[in-house]
Amino acid sequence: MTWNQKHLLGLKDLSADEITTILDTAGSLVEISERAIKKVPTLRGKTVCNFFFEPSTRTRASFEIAEKRLSADTINFASASSSLVKGESLKDTARNIEALKVDMIVIRHSSSGVPHQLARYIDARIINAGDGINEHPTQALLDMFTLRAKKGTLRGLNVSFIGDILHSRVARSNIWGLTKLGARVTVCGPRTLIPAGIEELGVRVTNSLEAAVEDADSITLLRIQLERQSEQFFPSIREYSRTFQINREILRRAKKDVIIMHPGPVNRGVELADDVADSEHSVILDQVTNGIAVRMAVLYLLSGGKQYMSDDEHAEGGRG
Ligand code: CP
């Protein structure tokens, strides 16, 4: 087991061994969510603050469930309900949160680099739950965990990302993580939605959907992130769908055992046809389920990690 990090700010900062440590730790935590009583005392006495300055369904719920399964005390802030709306700076808000003796902060923010800034201001452990267009490390980790569970390994897999690569923190974190663990990554989308120079990260770039699909072991669809776009990157959503949507017809060109992934939220009928979203190829809901174990693993490792035991095992003095 290799783990030398105080924070989880991005997969760019982690070694291949550290990423593998998170995935392996998550693997051993899965069974806790299958118990009748889904709770261990690992983070008892620790306080985790969930700071979400952008909308979230999956990440926020998944972190809160992970924290509760590890017995942490949790507090939740959204930007609308914090004093940030009264003009308090992020730094002052963070220092006040720290004065409340919070041990870990999970933060999502629309500006790239905010979790890194927080890590400089305060002593609590920081977990990036998505910052602007920079990184979404726990999403990429749960994607890699799901892919590894389905395919047995990440090394040598062909993994394609299709859609709005330019505005995707999910794509960026996956590229860092997957290339470190030996997968071959392809990105595909309209030319205007592929960041210049992305090849330097070790990925193949194509504007041909057929090329991205044909040799892929997994295909991840990325939503067109209209909320991050200040200009028009393609003529219309209808035209985008005609060229880049994954549907049954294009899937005939893919490997029989290709898996379809999506970080959510899915815009059905745009990047992904209904019948594929709900098909035997889709692991979209497995991704959501796996997010709990992956986030438990991150919380556990950042807390300095004592053995994760049930209350009974604690009372008996350990697992032996
Ligand atoms: N994948 C993801 O980040 O989803 P949410 O925005 O719902 O958290």
Side-chain angles (χ1 to χ4, degrees):
M1 173 168 138
T2 306
W3 189 253
N4 299 308
Q5 303 291 328
K6 178 174 178 188
H7 309 290
L8 179 67
L9 302 177
L11 296 195
K12 184 180 178 183
D13 308 323
L14 300 192
S15 67
D17 283 348
E18 285 172 322
I19 295 171
T20 302
T21 293
I22 298 175
L23 301 182
D24 291 347
T25 304
S28 62
L29 293 168
V30 165
E31 61 89 16
I32 293 170
S33 295
E34 289 158 4
R35 296 179 187 179
I37 297 172
K38 302 174 181 59
K39 213 172 181 71
V40 290
T42 309
L43 293 189
R44 192 184 281 161
K46 301 276 185 200
T47 305
V48 184
C49 176
N50 300 309
F51 241 148
F52 279 73
F53 296 101
E54 252 193 2
S56 169
T57 300
R58 284 147 288 267
T59 311
R60 186 171 170 165
S62 174
F63 263 114
E64 201 172 338
I65 291 170
E67 291 151 12
K68 289 187 189 318
R69 296 220 167 136
L70 294 172
S71 302
D73 297 316
T74 62
I75 46 174
N76 296 306
F77 285 96
S79 48
S81 60
S82 79
S83 285
L84 280 163
V85 292
K86 299 182 208 159
E88 187 175 51
S89 72
L90 178 69
K91 184 174 181 177
D92 281 337
T93 302
R95 291 185 117 159
N96 278 275
I97 296 292
E98 191 172 46
L100 297 170
K101 305 293 178 203
V102 166
D103 298 290
M104 289 193 241
I105 294 178
V106 177
I107 181 160
R108 167 171 290 192
H109 202 283
S110 57
S111 297
S112 301
V114 164
H116 307 68
Q117 250 177 297
L118 265 192
R120 284 195 293 275
Y121 296 152
I122 61 180
D123 201 40
R125 302 197 169 227
I126 309 295
I127 301 174
N128 181 357
D131 65 321
I133 60 167
N134 180 42
E135 284 223 40
H136 191 348
T138 58
Q139 178 66 46
L141 288 163
L142 73 88
D143 295 343
M144 293 165 73
F145 182 89
T146 305
L147 191 49
R148 193 177 76 160
K150 294 289 174 193
K151 300 290 182 184
T153 181
L154 294 172
R155 186 156 298 281
L157 289 185
N158 292 321
V159 182
S160 290
F161 291 84
I162 298 168
D164 182 355
I165 312 295
L166 182 64
H167 301 97
S168 177
R169 55 196 178 204
V170 173
R172 262 177 204 78
S173 284
N174 266 286
I175 290 169
W176 288 118
L178 286 164
T179 53
K180 284 177 190 188
L181 267 62
R184 288 187 289 267
V185 177
T186 295
V187 296
C188 172
R191 252 174 248 285
T192 49
L193 289 176
I194 305 279
I198 196 164
E199 297 90 340
E200 285 158 28
L201 300 183
V203 304
R204 177 174 72 130
V205 177
T206 179
N207 306 114
S208 155
L209 187 62
E210 289 76 11
V213 161
E214 270 166 5
D215 64 352
D217 296 294
S218 84
I219 299 169
T220 297
L221 286 317
L222 298 170
R223 186 173 63 85
I224 297 294
Q225 304 204 25
L226 294 171
E227 74 276 21
R228 296 191 205 287
Q229 298 182 8
S230 51
E231 52 190 288
Q232 194 145 357
F233 287 88
F234 48 84
S236 69
I237 288 285
R238 182 184 292 207
E239 186 160 330
Y240 175 82
S241 304
R242 252 203 314 266
T243 317
F244 291 104
Q245 186 190 82
I246 291 291
N247 51 37
R248 282 281 181 193
E249 193 188 328
I250 184 78
L251 219 52
R252 282 198 209 103
R253 291 170 172 265
K255 289 184 176 178
K256 294 233 168 328
D257 62 348
V258 68
I259 63 172
I260 299 294
M261 306 177 81
H262 197 306
V266 177
N267 285 155
R268 285 171 179 261
V270 180
E271 68 269 14
L272 187 57
D274 254 341
D275 55 353
V276 178
D278 301 324
S279 72
E280 68 284 6
H281 296 285
S282 171
V283 297
I284 295 170
L285 294 179
D286 297 297
Q287 290 173 262
V288 176
T289 302
N290 291 334
I292 297 172
V294 164
R295 289 173 174 125
M296 287 169 76
V298 169
L299 291 160
Y300 164 73
L301 289 166
L302 288 179
S303 74
K306 62 180 179 197
Q307 192 50 261
Y308 30 90
M309 293 181 288
S310 68
D311 282 330
D312 288 349
E313 285 163 342
H314 251 279
E316 288 162 12
R319 285 179 171 173

